[in-house]
Amino acid sequence: NAGVMQNPRHLVRRRGQEARLRCSPMKGHSHVYWYRQLPEEGLKFMVYLQKENIIDESGMPKERFSAEFPKEGPSILRIQQVVRGDSAAYFCASSRDVLATNEKLFFGSGTQLSVL
Amino acid sequence: QKEVEQNSGPLSVPEGAIASLNCTYSDQGSQSFFWYRQYSGKSPELIMFIYSNGDKEDGRFTAQLNKASQYVSLLIRDSQPSDSATYLCAVKIAGGTSYGKLTFGQGTILTVHP
C-alpha cells in the first residue's frame, strides 16, 4: 500500500528556471496539501487542493507559484523563475477526507529544491 | 504571538528517562492536535493525535491536552536513542477556510543519549 509519492527527491535549478514538483496522494485520498520547510524553520502551509479545485491557497506566494490537481494524474506545484530563496524542502501531504476531528494528514518524502 | 509555539530545544535526556515536549497555541477555536516526528532529512511521521481534554496513551507515548490553558504536550517514556528527532506540534483550527490545513510549530529537537 503505497504512501504519498513525491518526485523528484532532489531537484537542482539555476536562477530563472522553472521547477515542477509532483505528488501522488495515498490510494483513496482525494485531498492534497503542499507545505514548505525552510532551513531551521517549521512546516509552512502553502495550498490545499481537491481534484480540479484549489480550496485554500492562503499560504502561496502571490507571484511565481502555482498548483494544480487535475482530474487525472498527480498534483503539481510549479515555481517559475526560481530564486535562491526558493531553496527548501517541499512536502506534499494527503488525507482521505476533509480534516474533520479525527482525520489525519500523511506526508510524502519531500522534494529538496536547490537553486544555484 | 505565533499561532503554535514550541521550545526549540535542544532537549537532551538520558536513555530510559521520560522526555516531555510542550506546545502552546493561540487560537481558542483549535480543534485537533497532532504530534509528528521528523528525522533529519526525512518526512514528518504522525505519532499521536488528540482532540479531547485529558490524556491519550499509545505505547510509550502519551499526549496531554488542556484546552483551557491552550496547551498540549507529548511524553515519551523509556526514551531510546532512536527517539532522537525533531518533534513537531500541529494544530487544526475548526471552521472557515482553514478547515483543510494544519498549522505547525517550529519543532523541538530531542536528543536521547546512551
Side-chain angles (χ1 to χ4, degrees), chain B residues 44-70:
Chain B
E45 173 192 9
L46 179 66
I47 53 173
M48 288 288 287
F49 74 96
I50 186 168
Y51 51 85
S52 298
N53 272 327
D55 295 1
K56 180 180 178 182
E57 187 174 318
D58 184 1
R60 295 186 298 112
F61 300 99
T62 298
Q64 299 175 318
L65 175 61
N66 184 327
K67 289 188 177 181
S69 299
Q70 295 177 227

mmCIF file with all atom_site columns, all heavy atoms in Angstrom, chain B residues 44-70:
data_model
loop_
_atom_site.group_PDB
_atom_site.id
_atom_site.type_symbol
_atom_site.label_atom_id
_atom_site.label_alt_id
_atom_site.label_comp_id
_atom_site.label_asym_id
_atom_site.label_entity_id
_atom_site.label_seq_id
_atom_site.pdbx_PDB_ins_code
_atom_site.Cartn_x
_atom_site.Cartn_y
_atom_site.Cartn_z
_atom_site.occupancy
_atom_site.B_iso_or_equiv
_atom_site.pdbx_formal_charge
_atom_site.auth_seq_id
_atom_site.auth_comp_id
_atom_site.auth_asym_id
_atom_site.auth_atom_id
_atom_site.pdbx_PDB_model_num
ATOM 1   N N   . PRO B 1 44 ? 7.877   14.208 7.838  1.00 0.00 ? 44 PRO B N   1
ATOM 2   C CA  . PRO B 1 44 ? 7.200   14.098 9.143  1.00 0.00 ? 44 PRO B CA  1
ATOM 3   C C   . PRO B 1 44 ? 6.362   12.829 9.205  1.00 0.00 ? 44 PRO B C   1
ATOM 4   O O   . PRO B 1 44 ? 5.678   12.471 8.249  1.00 0.00 ? 44 PRO B O   1
ATOM 5   C CB  . PRO B 1 44 ? 6.312   15.351 9.171  1.00 0.00 ? 44 PRO B CB  1
ATOM 6   C CG  . PRO B 1 44 ? 6.918   16.282 8.177  1.00 0.00 ? 44 PRO B CG  1
ATOM 7   C CD  . PRO B 1 44 ? 7.474   15.406 7.106  1.00 0.00 ? 44 PRO B CD  1
ATOM 8   N N   . GLU B 1 45 ? 6.392   12.199 10.364 1.00 0.00 ? 45 GLU B N   1
ATOM 9   C CA  . GLU B 1 45 ? 5.668   10.945 10.577 1.00 0.00 ? 45 GLU B CA  1
ATOM 10  C C   . GLU B 1 45 ? 4.705   11.159 11.738 1.00 0.00 ? 45 GLU B C   1
ATOM 11  O O   . GLU B 1 45 ? 5.122   11.547 12.832 1.00 0.00 ? 45 GLU B O   1
ATOM 12  C CB  . GLU B 1 45 ? 6.667   9.844  10.907 1.00 0.00 ? 45 GLU B CB  1
ATOM 13  C CG  . GLU B 1 45 ? 6.054   8.536  11.319 1.00 0.00 ? 45 GLU B CG  1
ATOM 14  C CD  . GLU B 1 45 ? 7.079   7.584  11.915 1.00 0.00 ? 45 GLU B CD  1
ATOM 15  O OE1 . GLU B 1 45 ? 8.220   8.004  12.152 1.00 0.00 ? 45 GLU B OE1 1
ATOM 16  O OE2 . GLU B 1 45 ? 6.725   6.421  12.167 1.00 0.00 ? 45 GLU B OE2 1
ATOM 17  N N   . LEU B 1 46 ? 3.427   10.897 11.518 1.00 0.00 ? 46 LEU B N   1
ATOM 18  C CA  . LEU B 1 46 ? 2.431   11.088 12.566 1.00 0.00 ? 46 LEU B CA  1
ATOM 19  C C   . LEU B 1 46 ? 2.607   10.044 13.666 1.00 0.00 ? 46 LEU B C   1
ATOM 20  O O   . LEU B 1 46 ? 2.648   8.847  13.384 1.00 0.00 ? 46 LEU B O   1
ATOM 21  C CB  . LEU B 1 46 ? 1.028   10.987 11.975 1.00 0.00 ? 46 LEU B CB  1
ATOM 22  C CG  . LEU B 1 46 ? -0.127  11.143 12.959 1.00 0.00 ? 46 LEU B CG  1
ATOM 23  C CD1 . LEU B 1 46 ? -0.167  12.550 13.520 1.00 0.00 ? 46 LEU B CD1 1
ATOM 24  C CD2 . LEU B 1 46 ? -1.457  10.812 12.264 1.00 0.00 ? 46 LEU B CD2 1
ATOM 25  N N   . ILE B 1 47 ? 2.721   10.496 14.917 1.00 0.00 ? 47 ILE B N   1
ATOM 26  C CA  . ILE B 1 47 ? 2.848   9.553  16.017 1.00 0.00 ? 47 ILE B CA  1
ATOM 27  C C   . ILE B 1 47 ? 1.667   9.629  16.985 1.00 0.00 ? 47 ILE B C   1
ATOM 28  O O   . ILE B 1 47 ? 1.348   8.635  17.633 1.00 0.00 ? 47 ILE B O   1
ATOM 29  C CB  . ILE B 1 47 ? 4.182   9.722  16.780 1.00 0.00 ? 47 ILE B CB  1
ATOM 30  C CG1 . ILE B 1 47 ? 4.414   11.161 17.225 1.00 0.00 ? 47 ILE B CG1 1
ATOM 31  C CG2 . ILE B 1 47 ? 5.337   9.255  15.935 1.00 0.00 ? 47 ILE B CG2 1
ATOM 32  C CD1 . ILE B 1 47 ? 5.638   11.308 18.108 1.00 0.00 ? 47 ILE B CD1 1
ATOM 33  N N   . MET B 1 48 ? 1.025   10.772 17.115 1.00 0.00 ? 48 MET B N   1
ATOM 34  C CA  . MET B 1 48 ? -0.104  10.888 18.036 1.00 0.00 ? 48 MET B CA  1
ATOM 35  C C   . MET B 1 48 ? -1.039  11.994 17.557 1.00 0.00 ? 48 MET B C   1
ATOM 36  O O   . MET B 1 48 ? -0.601  12.985 16.975 1.00 0.00 ? 48 MET B O   1
ATOM 37  C CB  . MET B 1 48 ? 0.361   11.259 19.447 1.00 0.00 ? 48 MET B CB  1
ATOM 38  C CG  . MET B 1 48 ? 1.078   10.178 20.222 1.00 0.00 ? 48 MET B CG  1
ATOM 39  S SD  . MET B 1 48 ? -0.024  8.853  20.779 1.00 0.00 ? 48 MET B SD  1
ATOM 40  C CE  . MET B 1 48 ? -0.919  9.674  22.102 1.00 0.00 ? 48 MET B CE  1
ATOM 41  N N   . PHE B 1 49 ? -2.317  11.824 17.829 1.00 0.00 ? 49 PHE B N   1
ATOM 42  C CA  . PHE B 1 49 ? -3.246  12.935 17.676 1.00 0.00 ? 49 PHE B CA  1
ATOM 43  C C   . PHE B 1 49 ? -4.236  12.886 18.830 1.00 0.00 ? 49 PHE B C   1
ATOM 44  O O   . PHE B 1 49 ? -4.530  11.829 19.377 1.00 0.00 ? 49 PHE B O   1
ATOM 45  C CB  . PHE B 1 49 ? -3.948  12.908 16.321 1.00 0.00 ? 49 PHE B CB  1
ATOM 46  C CG  . PHE B 1 49 ? -5.009  11.860 16.201 1.00 0.00 ? 49 PHE B CG  1
ATOM 47  C CD1 . PHE B 1 49 ? -6.348  12.161 16.429 1.00 0.00 ? 49 PHE B CD1 1
ATOM 48  C CD2 . PHE B 1 49 ? -4.682  10.563 15.840 1.00 0.00 ? 49 PHE B CD2 1
ATOM 49  C CE1 . PHE B 1 49 ? -7.322  11.198 16.309 1.00 0.00 ? 49 PHE B CE1 1
ATOM 50  C CE2 . PHE B 1 49 ? -5.658  9.593  15.720 1.00 0.00 ? 49 PHE B CE2 1
ATOM 51  C CZ  . PHE B 1 49 ? -6.980  9.908  15.955 1.00 0.00 ? 49 PHE B CZ  1
ATOM 52  N N   . ILE B 1 50 ? -4.765  14.036 19.184 1.00 0.00 ? 50 ILE B N   1
ATOM 53  C CA  . ILE B 1 50 ? -5.686  14.125 20.317 1.00 0.00 ? 50 ILE B CA  1
ATOM 54  C C   . ILE B 1 50 ? -6.636  15.276 20.063 1.00 0.00 ? 50 ILE B C   1
ATOM 55  O O   . ILE B 1 50 ? -6.251  16.292 19.477 1.00 0.00 ? 50 ILE B O   1
ATOM 56  C CB  . ILE B 1 50 ? -4.901  14.316 21.652 1.00 0.00 ? 50 ILE B CB  1
ATOM 57  C CG1 . ILE B 1 50 ? -5.827  14.268 22.860 1.00 0.00 ? 50 ILE B CG1 1
ATOM 58  C CG2 . ILE B 1 50 ? -4.084  15.601 21.635 1.00 0.00 ? 50 ILE B CG2 1
ATOM 59  C CD1 . ILE B 1 50 ? -5.077  14.162 24.186 1.00 0.00 ? 50 ILE B CD1 1
ATOM 60  N N   . TYR B 1 51 ? -7.893  15.130 20.471 1.00 0.00 ? 51 TYR B N   1
ATOM 61  C CA  . TYR B 1 51 ? -8.847  16.217 20.304 1.00 0.00 ? 51 TYR B CA  1
ATOM 62  C C   . TYR B 1 51 ? -9.741  16.423 21.518 1.00 0.00 ? 51 TYR B C   1
ATOM 63  O O   . TYR B 1 51 ? -10.541 17.341 21.560 1.00 0.00 ? 51 TYR B O   1
ATOM 64  C CB  . TYR B 1 51 ? -9.701  16.030 19.050 1.00 0.00 ? 51 TYR B CB  1
ATOM 65  C CG  . TYR B 1 51 ? -10.357 14.696 18.917 1.00 0.00 ? 51 TYR B CG  1
ATOM 66  C CD1 . TYR B 1 51 ? -11.570 14.416 19.512 1.00 0.00 ? 51 TYR B CD1 1
ATOM 67  C CD2 . TYR B 1 51 ? -9.754  13.691 18.166 1.00 0.00 ? 51 TYR B CD2 1
ATOM 68  C CE1 . TYR B 1 51 ? -12.167 13.177 19.383 1.00 0.00 ? 51 TYR B CE1 1
ATOM 69  C CE2 . TYR B 1 51 ? -10.343 12.457 18.038 1.00 0.00 ? 51 TYR B CE2 1
ATOM 70  C CZ  . TYR B 1 51 ? -11.550 12.204 18.638 1.00 0.00 ? 51 TYR B CZ  1
ATOM 71  O OH  . TYR B 1 51 ? -12.133 10.984 18.498 1.00 0.00 ? 51 TYR B OH  1
ATOM 72  N N   . SER B 1 52 ? -9.617  15.551 22.527 1.00 0.00 ? 52 SER B N   1
ATOM 73  C CA  . SER B 1 52 ? -10.393 15.720 23.753 1.00 0.00 ? 52 SER B CA  1
ATOM 74  C C   . SER B 1 52 ? -9.458  16.051 24.903 1.00 0.00 ? 52 SER B C   1
ATOM 75  O O   . SER B 1 52 ? -8.321  15.564 24.961 1.00 0.00 ? 52 SER B O   1
ATOM 76  C CB  . SER B 1 52 ? -11.154 14.441 24.081 1.00 0.00 ? 52 SER B CB  1
ATOM 77  O OG  . SER B 1 52 ? -12.069 14.132 23.049 1.00 0.00 ? 52 SER B OG  1
ATOM 78  N N   . ASN B 1 53 ? -9.951  16.843 25.831 1.00 0.00 ? 53 ASN B N   1
ATOM 79  C CA  . ASN B 1 53 ? -9.154  17.165 27.011 1.00 0.00 ? 53 ASN B CA  1
ATOM 80  C C   . ASN B 1 53 ? -8.753  15.890 27.752 1.00 0.00 ? 53 ASN B C   1
ATOM 81  O O   . ASN B 1 53 ? -9.506  14.926 27.832 1.00 0.00 ? 53 ASN B O   1
ATOM 82  C CB  . ASN B 1 53 ? -9.951  18.054 27.970 1.00 0.00 ? 53 ASN B CB  1
ATOM 83  C CG  . ASN B 1 53 ? -9.796  19.525 27.648 1.00 0.00 ? 53 ASN B CG  1
ATOM 84  O OD1 . ASN B 1 53 ? -8.746  19.971 27.195 1.00 0.00 ? 53 ASN B OD1 1
ATOM 85  N ND2 . ASN B 1 53 ? -10.851 20.277 27.877 1.00 0.00 ? 53 ASN B ND2 1
ATOM 86  N N   . GLY B 1 54 ? -7.550  15.905 28.309 1.00 0.00 ? 54 GLY B N   1
ATOM 87  C CA  . GLY B 1 54 ? -7.091  14.750 29.065 1.00 0.00 ? 54 GLY B CA  1
ATOM 88  C C   . GLY B 1 54 ? -5.884  14.112 28.420 1.00 0.00 ? 54 GLY B C   1
ATOM 89  O O   . GLY B 1 54 ? -5.134  14.763 27.697 1.00 0.00 ? 54 GLY B O   1
ATOM 90  N N   . ASP B 1 55 ? -5.703  12.852 28.742 1.00 0.00 ? 55 ASP B N   1
ATOM 91  C CA  . ASP B 1 55 ? -4.545  12.094 28.266 1.00 0.00 ? 55 ASP B CA  1
ATOM 92  C C   . ASP B 1 55 ? -4.958  11.055 27.243 1.00 0.00 ? 55 ASP B C   1
ATOM 93  O O   . ASP B 1 55 ? -6.049  10.493 27.317 1.00 0.00 ? 55 ASP B O   1
ATOM 94  C CB  . ASP B 1 55 ? -3.860  11.377 29.433 1.00 0.00 ? 55 ASP B CB  1
ATOM 95  C CG  . ASP B 1 55 ? -3.260  12.344 30.446 1.00 0.00 ? 55 ASP B CG  1
ATOM 96  O OD1 . ASP B 1 55 ? -3.388  13.565 30.243 1.00 0.00 ? 55 ASP B OD1 1
ATOM 97  O OD2 . ASP B 1 55 ? -2.668  11.862 31.431 1.00 0.00 ? 55 ASP B OD2 1
ATOM 98  N N   . LYS B 1 56 ? -4.036  10.799 26.325 1.00 0.00 ? 56 LYS B N   1
ATOM 99  C CA  . LYS B 1 56 ? -4.221  9.707  25.375 1.00 0.00 ? 56 LYS B CA  1
ATOM 100 C C   . LYS B 1 56 ? -2.895  8.966  25.275 1.00 0.00 ? 56 LYS B C   1
ATOM 101 O O   . LYS B 1 56 ? -1.864  9.573  25.016 1.00 0.00 ? 56 LYS B O   1
ATOM 102 C CB  . LYS B 1 56 ? -4.631  10.246 23.998 1.00 0.00 ? 56 LYS B CB  1
ATOM 103 C CG  . LYS B 1 56 ? -4.832  9.162  22.960 1.00 0.00 ? 56 LYS B CG  1
ATOM 104 C CD  . LYS B 1 56 ? -5.230  9.745  21.622 1.00 0.00 ? 56 LYS B CD  1
ATOM 105 C CE  . LYS B 1 56 ? -5.376  8.648  20.577 1.00 0.00 ? 56 LYS B CE  1
ATOM 106 N NZ  . LYS B 1 56 ? -5.726  9.213  19.239 1.00 0.00 ? 56 LYS B NZ  1
ATOM 107 N N   . GLU B 1 57 ? -2.956  7.660  25.501 1.00 0.00 ? 57 GLU B N   1
ATOM 108 C CA  . GLU B 1 57 ? -1.728  6.867  25.542 1.00 0.00 ? 57 GLU B CA  1
ATOM 109 C C   . GLU B 1 57 ? -1.662  5.914  24.366 1.00 0.00 ? 57 GLU B C   1
ATOM 110 O O   . GLU B 1 57 ? -2.661  5.323  23.961 1.00 0.00 ? 57 GLU B O   1
ATOM 111 C CB  . GLU B 1 57 ? -1.684  6.082  26.855 1.00 0.00 ? 57 GLU B CB  1
ATOM 112 C CG  . GLU B 1 57 ? -0.389  5.340  27.121 1.00 0.00 ? 57 GLU B CG  1
ATOM 113 C CD  . GLU B 1 57 ? -0.358  4.712  28.500 1.00 0.00 ? 57 GLU B CD  1
ATOM 114 O OE1 . GLU B 1 57 ? -0.791  5.361  29.463 1.00 0.00 ? 57 GLU B OE1 1
ATOM 115 O OE2 . GLU B 1 57 ? 0.069   3.548  28.588 1.00 0.00 ? 57 GLU B OE2 1
ATOM 116 N N   . ASP B 1 58 ? -0.442  5.758  23.837 1.00 0.00 ? 58 ASP B N   1
ATOM 117 C CA  . ASP B 1 58 ? -0.207  4.793  22.765 1.00 0.00 ? 58 ASP B CA  1
ATOM 118 C C   . ASP B 1 58 ? 1.221   4.294  22.919 1.00 0.00 ? 58 ASP B C   1
ATOM 119 O O   . ASP B 1 58 ? 2.175   4.976  22.538 1.00 0.00 ? 58 ASP B O   1
ATOM 120 C CB  . ASP B 1 58 ? -0.409  5.453  21.392 1.00 0.00 ? 58 ASP B CB  1
ATOM 121 C CG  . ASP B 1 58 ? -0.260  4.459  20.243 1.00 0.00 ? 58 ASP B CG  1
ATOM 122 O OD1 . ASP B 1 58 ? -0.021  3.257  20.504 1.00 0.00 ? 58 ASP B OD1 1
ATOM 123 O OD2 . ASP B 1 58 ? -0.372  4.869  19.078 1.00 0.00 ? 58 ASP B OD2 1
ATOM 124 N N   . GLY B 1 59 ? 1.345   3.110  23.520 1.00 0.00 ? 59 GLY B N   1
ATOM 125 C CA  . GLY B 1 59 ? 2.676   2.555  23.748 1.00 0.00 ? 59 GLY B CA  1
ATOM 126 C C   . GLY B 1 59 ? 3.469   3.426  24.703 1.00 0.00 ? 59 GLY B C   1
ATOM 127 O O   . GLY B 1 59 ? 2.998   3.764  25.800 1.00 0.00 ? 59 GLY B O   1
ATOM 128 N N   . ARG B 1 60 ? 4.650   3.852  24.286 1.00 0.00 ? 60 ARG B N   1
ATOM 129 C CA  . ARG B 1 60 ? 5.483   4.692  25.154 1.00 0.00 ? 60 ARG B CA  1
ATOM 130 C C   . ARG B 1 60 ? 5.110   6.169  25.072 1.00 0.00 ? 60 ARG B C   1
ATOM 131 O O   . ARG B 1 60 ? 5.701   6.990  25.771 1.00 0.00 ? 60 ARG B O   1
ATOM 132 C CB  . ARG B 1 60 ? 6.955   4.507  24.757 1.00 0.00 ? 60 ARG B CB  1
ATOM 133 C CG  . ARG B 1 60 ? 7.494   3.119  24.995 1.00 0.00 ? 60 ARG B CG  1
ATOM 134 C CD  . ARG B 1 60 ? 9.005   3.031  24.716 1.00 0.00 ? 60 ARG B CD  1
ATOM 135 N NE  . ARG B 1 60 ? 9.359   3.328  23.348 1.00 0.00 ? 60 ARG B NE  1
ATOM 136 C CZ  . ARG B 1 60 ? 10.037  4.406  22.956 1.00 0.00 ? 60 ARG B CZ  1
ATOM 137 N NH1 . ARG B 1 60 ? 10.430  5.314  23.830 1.00 0.00 ? 60 ARG B NH1 1
ATOM 138 N NH2 . ARG B 1 60 ? 10.344  4.580  21.672 1.00 0.00 ? 60 ARG B NH2 1
ATOM 139 N N   . PHE B 1 61 ? 4.168   6.497  24.226 1.00 0.00 ? 61 PHE B N   1
ATOM 140 C CA  . PHE B 1 61 ? 3.791   7.899  24.011 1.00 0.00 ? 61 PHE B CA  1
ATOM 141 C C   . PHE B 1 61 ? 2.483   8.234  24.724 1.00 0.00 ? 61 PHE B C   1
ATOM 142 O O   . PHE B 1 61 ? 1.539   7.451  24.695 1.00 0.00 ? 61 PHE B O   1
ATOM 143 C CB  . PHE B 1 61 ? 3.631   8.193  22.514 1.00 0.00 ? 61 PHE B CB  1
ATOM 144 C CG  . PHE B 1 61 ? 4.874   7.968  21.705 1.00 0.00 ? 61 PHE B CG  1
ATOM 145 C CD1 . PHE B 1 61 ? 5.043   6.788  20.987 1.00 0.00 ? 61 PHE B CD1 1
ATOM 146 C CD2 . PHE B 1 61 ? 5.870   8.922  21.662 1.00 0.00 ? 61 PHE B CD2 1
ATOM 147 C CE1 . PHE B 1 61 ? 6.189   6.582  20.233 1.00 0.00 ? 61 PHE B CE1 1
ATOM 148 C CE2 . PHE B 1 61 ? 7.020   8.718  20.901 1.00 0.00 ? 61 PHE B CE2 1
ATOM 149 C CZ  . PHE B 1 61 ? 7.173   7.547  20.192 1.00 0.00 ? 61 PHE B CZ  1
ATOM 150 N N   . THR B 1 62 ? 2.451   9.409  25.349 1.00 0.00 ? 62 THR B N   1
ATOM 151 C CA  . THR B 1 62 ? 1.224   9.937  25.941 1.00 0.00 ? 62 THR B CA  1
ATOM 152 C C   . THR B 1 62 ? 1.077   11.388 25.508 1.00 0.00 ? 62 THR B C   1
ATOM 153 O O   . THR B 1 62 ? 1.992   12.190 25.715 1.00 0.00 ? 62 THR B O   1
ATOM 154 C CB  . THR B 1 62 ? 1.255   9.874  27.474 1.00 0.00 ? 62 THR B CB  1
ATOM 155 O OG1 . THR B 1 62 ? 1.364   8.514  27.891 1.00 0.00 ? 62 THR B OG1 1
ATOM 156 C CG2 . THR B 1 62 ? -0.031  10.473 28.054 1.00 0.00 ? 62 THR B CG2 1
ATOM 157 N N   . ALA B 1 63 ? -0.064  11.697 24.913 1.00 0.00 ? 63 ALA B N   1
ATOM 158 C CA  . ALA B 1 63 ? -0.386  13.082 24.582 1.00 0.00 ? 63 ALA B CA  1
ATOM 159 C C   . ALA B 1 63 ? -1.329  13.616 25.650 1.00 0.00 ? 63 ALA B C   1
ATOM 160 O O   . ALA B 1 63 ? -2.224  12.912 26.106 1.00 0.00 ? 63 ALA B O   1
ATOM 161 C CB  . ALA B 1 63 ? -1.036  13.178 23.209 1.00 0.00 ? 63 ALA B CB  1
ATOM 162 N N   . GLN B 1 64 ? -1.106  14.858 26.044 1.00 0.00 ? 64 GLN B N   1
ATOM 163 C CA  . GLN B 1 64 ? -1.944  15.502 27.055 1.00 0.00 ? 64 GLN B CA  1
ATOM 164 C C   . GLN B 1 64 ? -2.472  16.811 26.489 1.00 0.00 ? 64 GLN B C   1
ATOM 165 O O   . GLN B 1 64 ? -1.704  17.593 25.937 1.00 0.00 ? 64 GLN B O   1
ATOM 166 C CB  . GLN B 1 64 ? -1.124  15.771 28.327 1.00 0.00 ? 64 GLN B CB  1
ATOM 167 C CG  . GLN B 1 64 ? -0.567  14.526 28.978 1.00 0.00 ? 64 GLN B CG  1
ATOM 168 C CD  . GLN B 1 64 ? 0.343   14.838 30.160 1.00 0.00 ? 64 GLN B CD  1
ATOM 169 O OE1 . GLN B 1 64 ? 1.162   15.751 30.098 1.00 0.00 ? 64 GLN B OE1 1
ATOM 170 N NE2 . GLN B 1 64 ? 0.195   14.079 31.242 1.00 0.00 ? 64 GLN B NE2 1
ATOM 171 N N   . LEU B 1 65 ? -3.768  17.030 26.648 1.00 0.00 ? 65 LEU B N   1
ATOM 172 C CA  . LEU B 1 65 ? -4.396  18.239 26.113 1.00 0.00 ? 65 LEU B CA  1
ATOM 173 C C   . LEU B 1 65 ? -5.145  18.971 27.206 1.00 0.00 ? 65 LEU B C   1
ATOM 174 O O   . LEU B 1 65 ? -5.919  18.368 27.951 1.00 0.00 ? 65 LEU B O   1
ATOM 175 C CB  . LEU B 1 65 ? -5.358  17.879 24.981 1.00 0.00 ? 65 LEU B CB  1
ATOM 176 C CG  . LEU B 1 65 ? -6.183  19.015 24.389 1.00 0.00 ? 65 LEU B CG  1
ATOM 177 C CD1 . LEU B 1 65 ? -5.294  20.099 23.785 1.00 0.00 ? 65 LEU B CD1 1
ATOM 178 C CD2 . LEU B 1 65 ? -7.157  18.467 23.336 1.00 0.00 ? 65 LEU B CD2 1
ATOM 179 N N   . ASN B 1 66 ? -4.937  20.269 27.287 1.00 0.00 ? 66 ASN B N   1
ATOM 180 C CA  . ASN B 1 66 ? -5.659  21.142 28.207 1.00 0.00 ? 66 ASN B CA  1
ATOM 181 C C   . ASN B 1 66 ? -6.129  22.347 27.397 1.00 0.00 ? 66 ASN B C   1
ATOM 182 O O   . ASN B 1 66 ? -5.370  23.294 27.170 1.00 0.00 ? 66 ASN B O   1
ATOM 183 C CB  . ASN B 1 66 ? -4.748  21.572 29.363 1.00 0.00 ? 66 ASN B CB  1
ATOM 184 C CG  . ASN B 1 66 ? -5.481  22.396 30.409 1.00 0.00 ? 66 ASN B CG  1
ATOM 185 O OD1 . ASN B 1 66 ? -6.394  23.153 30.070 1.00 0.00 ? 66 ASN B OD1 1
ATOM 186 N ND2 . ASN B 1 66 ? -5.104  22.248 31.657 1.00 0.00 ? 66 ASN B ND2 1
ATOM 187 N N   . LYS B 1 67 ? -7.364  22.289 26.957 1.00 0.00 ? 67 LYS B N   1
ATOM 188 C CA  . LYS B 1 67 ? -7.878  23.358 26.093 1.00 0.00 ? 67 LYS B CA  1
ATOM 189 C C   . LYS B 1 67 ? -8.040  24.673 26.855 1.00 0.00 ? 67 LYS B C   1
ATOM 190 O O   . LYS B 1 67 ? -7.890  25.746 26.268 1.00 0.00 ? 67 LYS B O   1
ATOM 191 C CB  . LYS B 1 67 ? -9.205  22.939 25.468 1.00 0.00 ? 67 LYS B CB  1
ATOM 192 C CG  . LYS B 1 67 ? -9.054  21.860 24.412 1.00 0.00 ? 67 LYS B CG  1
ATOM 193 C CD  . LYS B 1 67 ? -10.371 21.610 23.690 1.00 0.00 ? 67 LYS B CD  1
ATOM 194 C CE  . LYS B 1 67 ? -10.188 20.579 22.583 1.00 0.00 ? 67 LYS B CE  1
ATOM 195 N NZ  . LYS B 1 67 ? -11.455 20.329 21.845 1.00 0.00 ? 67 LYS B NZ  1
ATOM 196 N N   . ALA B 1 68 ? -8.346  24.607 28.135 1.00 0.00 ? 68 ALA B N   1
ATOM 197 C CA  . ALA B 1 68 ? -8.498  25.844 28.913 1.00 0.00 ? 68 ALA B CA  1
ATOM 198 C C   . ALA B 1 68 ? -7.180  26.608 28.961 1.00 0.00 ? 68 ALA B C   1
ATOM 199 O O   . ALA B 1 68 ? -7.146  27.845 28.889 1.00 0.00 ? 68 ALA B O   1
ATOM 200 C CB  . ALA B 1 68 ? -8.987  25.524 30.317 1.00 0.00 ? 68 ALA B CB  1
ATOM 201 N N   . SER B 1 69 ? -6.092  25.896 29.060 1.00 0.00 ? 69 SER B N   1
ATOM 202 C CA  . SER B 1 69 ? -4.771  26.520 29.109 1.00 0.00 ? 69 SER B CA  1
ATOM 203 C C   . SER B 1 69 ? -4.140  26.628 27.726 1.00 0.00 ? 69 SER B C   1
ATOM 204 O O   . SER B 1 69 ? -3.022  27.170 27.596 1.00 0.00 ? 69 SER B O   1
ATOM 205 C CB  . SER B 1 69 ? -3.843  25.718 30.030 1.00 0.00 ? 69 SER B CB  1
ATOM 206 O OG  . SER B 1 69 ? -4.364  25.681 31.348 1.00 0.00 ? 69 SER B OG  1
ATOM 207 N N   . GLN B 1 70 ? -4.807  26.080 26.718 1.00 0.00 ? 70 GLN B N   1
ATOM 208 C CA  . GLN B 1 70 ? -4.311  26.112 25.339 1.00 0.00 ? 70 GLN B CA  1
ATOM 209 C C   . GLN B 1 70 ? -2.918  25.500 25.278 1.00 0.00 ? 70 GLN B C   1
ATOM 210 O O   . GLN B 1 70 ? -1.956  26.123 24.767 1.00 0.00 ? 70 GLN B O   1
ATOM 211 C CB  . GLN B 1 70 ? -4.356  27.541 24.787 1.00 0.00 ? 70 GLN B CB  1
ATOM 212 C CG  . GLN B 1 70 ? -5.782  28.039 24.671 1.00 0.00 ? 70 GLN B CG  1
ATOM 213 C CD  . GLN B 1 70 ? -5.888  29.480 24.191 1.00 0.00 ? 70 GLN B CD  1
ATOM 214 O OE1 . GLN B 1 70 ? -6.612  30.273 24.758 1.00 0.00 ? 70 GLN B OE1 1
ATOM 215 N NE2 . GLN B 1 70 ? -5.161  29.818 23.153 1.00 0.00 ? 70 GLN B NE2 1
#
